[in-house]
């Protein structure tokens, strides 16, 4: 795979760091990969966009799914994951997840994470949508992500890992042979480094999280702007299945015009017996699926949207008044506080909810060791597409995937060093003549992109809505390109313009894939193509960026997840 040669318009690096591995991102995937690499003796640098504990992991409420309970098994966990993935999970990838998952959770505990336990001292397990057994380990009732983040951040500090906070990664550095040679980044604010710099390393691990900010309303924090996927595309990597954006069914409804990060009402609330009801108090999920409110998320989100359409309503309700105050305070203190902060008391009244963008099941395409199609570039966590999630992620599989695949990446990097010595090639000059700079969008484009995507590529999609979105996105891209080509002008380089440009990149890919997939499957819901079509569409959509910034879109021949085979050229 050859790099596109495209980079973001940015100043040349003014400082550099040398390392064996640079990990970009500080959620469960990134910090686990970094800790395992450091334990293997690799000089490891962690780069993160905000502070170490500011990513998506700390917002995870439900927990970590793993076959830890009596009577449960990896095989049962596998079956539930395959059903949720609607025929597009890679079974090998899922089998790795569910068989290696329990021990990965135990290693997380040995790192310092504390999970809720019962009176006998055993891990207390909850149930969520799509799971036929209680297998969700949680902490602090509904603050699992915060506890996992705390434990990993403390371990990073205790082991003295080098970290660069408040740093937006810009582009991948490569050597003359096309292998990874590090990243460029921009550090915001005070510290040892400031402005644009570089980390030179023969292995780069992308763990940058999701891209929920491409939509107006999302559960993702403001930093989730698809930076890792956009970087990978510019570097020549392939992405897969980006059309499968999971909209969480139960997000606190703050009004039709609410934008940005919205409070999540965890699936675990339904797992403990809360009911979805309409304005008349009718449980509308009964009869729609054998698990009713605990059906996979795509089915519940569709059920909510259908009821909203039928009743011309802006939201539905989640009724858990029967929990009582004591259970709310013990099991869901974070959600209780968030609701009350917005004037809603779940103890006394149903919670207004509506679906909002939550999780990207697709991402940078990897193999079972986290290797992408660019030599030396790895990806794990939400930025990656390992084949585990298929068309719809099973609840609470995300933290587990981050753990398991981060460990596999670290093991592969360590093995590569032992075998090949991790050669550190000199990166090509970032600003060499002829290397095209990607024109930057103005900061106001962020809101335009979000409105376009929410209207045209949200929960409900059609050829008409997607075509309109594609045209509007293309217009933004063309205007930026014309301004650069005609008069050499582009928006001033900075965090807001780089983020807007990354959002446009991932939005274009998402819409292109969603237009191509002419069926309804998992969390991809086409109003004009309401049926699932296994004969034509039980396959993956793979996209890469051409040097002229057009998209090369293809489908796989089967549902099998294609291998990458890019990290060991001698094997090809």
């Amino acid at each position: 795979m050859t790099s596109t040669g495209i980079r973001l318009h940015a100043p040349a690096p003014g400082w550099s760091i040398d390392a064996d591995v640079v990990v970009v991102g500080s959620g469960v995937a990134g910090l686990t990969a970094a800790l395992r690499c450091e334990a293997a003796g690799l000089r490891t640098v962690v780069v993160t966009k905000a502070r170490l504990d500011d990513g998506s992991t700390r917002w995870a409420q439900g927990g970590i799914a793993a076959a830890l309970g009596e009577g449960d098994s990896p095989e049962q966990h596998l079956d539930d994951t395959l059903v949720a993935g609607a025929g597009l999970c890679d079974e090998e990838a899922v089998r790795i997840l569910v068989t290696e998952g329990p021990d990965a959770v135990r290693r997380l505990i040995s790192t310092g994470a504390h999970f809720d336990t019962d009176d006998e001292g055993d891990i207390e397990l909850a149930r969520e949508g799509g799971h036929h057994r209680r297998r969700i380990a949680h902490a602090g009732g509904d603050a699992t992500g915060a506890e996992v983040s705390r434990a990993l951040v403390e371990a990073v500090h205790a082991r003295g890992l080098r970290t660069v906070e408040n740093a937006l990664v810009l582009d991948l550095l490569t050597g003359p042979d096309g292998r990874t040679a590090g990243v460029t980044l921009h550090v915001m604010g005070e510290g040892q480094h400031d402005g644009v710099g570089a980390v030179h390393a023969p292995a780069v691990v992308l763990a940058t999280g999701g891209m929920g900010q491409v939509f107006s309303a999302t559960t993702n924090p403001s930093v989730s702007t698809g930076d890792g996927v956009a970087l990978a595309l510019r570097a020549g990597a392939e992405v897969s299945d980006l059309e499968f954006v999971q909209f969480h069914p139960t997000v606190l409804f703050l009004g039709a015009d609410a934008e940005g990060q919205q409070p999540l009402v965890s699936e675990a609330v339904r797992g403990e017996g809360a009911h979805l009801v309409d304005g008349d108090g009718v449980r509308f999920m009964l009869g729609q699926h054998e698990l009713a409110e605990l059906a996979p998320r795509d089915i519940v989100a569709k059920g909510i949207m259908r009821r909203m359409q039928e009743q011309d309503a802006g939201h539905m309700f989640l009724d858990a008044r029967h929990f009582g105050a004591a259970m709310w305070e013990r099991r869901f203190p974070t959600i209780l506080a968030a609701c009350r902060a917005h004037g809603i008391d779940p103890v006394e009244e149903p919670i207004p909810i509506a679906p909002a963008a939550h999780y990207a099941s697709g991402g940078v395409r990897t193999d079972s060791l986290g290797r992408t199609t660019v030599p030396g570039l790895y990806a794990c966590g939400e930025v990656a597409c390992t084949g585990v999630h298929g068309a719809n992620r099973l609840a609470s599989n995300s933290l587990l995937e981050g753990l398991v695949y981060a460990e596999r990446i670290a093991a592969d990097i360590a093995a590569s060093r032992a075998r090949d010595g991790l050669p550190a090639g000199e990166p090509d000059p970032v600003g060499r003549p002829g290397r095209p700079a990607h024109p930057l969008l103005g900061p106001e484009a962020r809101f335009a992109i979000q409105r376009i995507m929410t209207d045209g590529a949200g929960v409900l999609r059609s050829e008409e809505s997607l075509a309109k979105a594609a045209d509007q996105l293309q217009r933004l891209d063309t205007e930026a390109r014309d301004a650069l080509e005609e008069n050499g002008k582009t928006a001033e380089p900075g965090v807001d313009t780089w983020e807007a440009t990354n959002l446009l990149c991932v939005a274009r890919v998402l819409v292109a894939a969603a237009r191509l997939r002419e069926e309804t499957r998992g969390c991809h819901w086409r109003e004009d193509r309401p049926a699932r079509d296994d004969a034509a569409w039980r396959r993956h959509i793979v996209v890469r960026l051409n040097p002229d910034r057009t998209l090369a879109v293809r489908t796989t021949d089967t549902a099998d997840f294609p291998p990458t085979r890019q990290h060991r050229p001698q094997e090809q």
Side-chain angles (χ1 to χ4, degrees), residues 146-235:
E147 171 58 18
V148 169
S149 180
R150 179 205 62 78
L152 291 172
V153 169
E154 287 189 5
V156 165
H157 289 319
R159 297 184 192 180
L161 266 73
R162 187 166 189 175
T163 61
V164 182
E165 296 181 299
N166 301 308
L168 172 64
V169 68
L170 300 176
D171 283 304
L172 190 74
L173 292 170
T174 55
D177 59 355
R179 292 190 61 87
T180 293
V183 294
T184 56
L185 62 155
H186 174 79
V187 179
M188 304 163 271
E190 300 176 359
Q192 183 179 357
H193 304 289
D194 197 9
V196 175
V199 180
H200 297 148
V204 172
V205 181
L206 292 179
T208 52
M211 55 183 191
Q213 289 290 327
V214 79
F215 295 98
S216 296
T218 177
T219 62
N220 291 190
S222 61
V223 294
S224 297
T225 51
D227 307 318
V229 171
L231 174 149
L233 283 162
R234 289 192 295 272

Side-chain angles (χ1 to χ4, degrees), residues 247-331:
F247 287 77
H248 198 289
T250 53
V251 176
L252 185 62
F253 181 75
L254 301 180
D257 297 326
E259 295 183 341
Q261 186 178 9
Q262 313 287 301
L264 177 67
V265 181
S266 171
E267 195 146 333
V269 178
R270 280 175 282 138
E272 295 294 348
H275 303 144
L276 284 166
V277 298
D278 61 20
D280 297 321
V282 176
R283 288 183 62 188
F284 54 86
M285 285 304 299
L286 293 176
Q288 294 198 35
H289 190 275
E290 61 170 340
L291 297 176
E293 284 94 350
L294 286 177
R297 288 178 177 176
D298 62 308
I299 294 171
V300 178
K302 290 171 189 174
I304 292 171
M305 293 300 296
R306 287 193 187 102
R307 197 66 157 194
M308 287 167 56
Q309 287 179 323
E310 291 169 2
Q311 299 190 345
D312 193 24
H315 61 86
M316 290 288 108
F317 294 93
L318 186 66
D319 192 353
R321 289 175 291 180
H322 54 285
F323 285 5
M327 181 175 173
W328 266 110
E329 291 164 2
R330 177 188 66 83
R331 183 67 177 86

